[in-house]
Amino acid sequence: TGVFQEMKTRECHFINGTENVRYVRRDIYNRKQYMIFDSDVGVFVGDTPYGEIQAWCRNRDPEILEDHRAAVDTFCRAGYELAAPFLTAH
């Protein structure tokens, strides 16, 4: 009996406040990344044969792509506005 771990991470990279924002989603299985979405690229990219299949399926769905492309605003910038008072020195 093995233990398997599936993990998805979402990251926001801010350069100069919210002027230049990058959203990255990583899909990981057993500590190995198999697929990534980077808003600078705009599509899912597979890192393994399984990840390539998953990326191909997601890239065919315009709604999934639009949701992830919009995450720069809906997830990153919205989160920055909420966290900014706690991130800046007073």
Side-chain angles (χ1 to χ4, degrees), residues 5-73:
Q5 181 183 39
E6 173 93 25
M7 185 168 75
K8 296 178 187 340
T9 65
R10 298 189 299 174
E11 307 165 11
C12 297
H13 302 261
F14 298 97
I15 300 169
N16 196 17
T18 58
E19 283 185 36
N20 187 5
V21 182
R22 181 175 164 217
Y23 168 78
V24 178
R25 173 187 153 173
R26 301 176 192 278
D27 290 50
I28 301 162
Y29 182 74
N30 280 355
R31 294 183 278 177
K32 183 172 181 171
Q33 179 176 299
Y34 65 89
M35 183 175 62
I36 186 170
F37 178 88
D38 184 333
S39 63
D40 285 353
V41 177
V43 295
F44 288 88
V45 177
D47 295 326
T48 66
Y50 173 74
E52 289 176 3
I53 294 167
Q54 296 303 308
W56 181 80
C57 291
R58 284 166 179 75
N59 290 334
R60 292 185 58 194
D61 188 329
E63 285 185 34
I64 291 175
L65 284 177
E66 183 58 33
D67 286 347
H68 281 78
R69 290 173 182 157
V72 167
D73 293 319

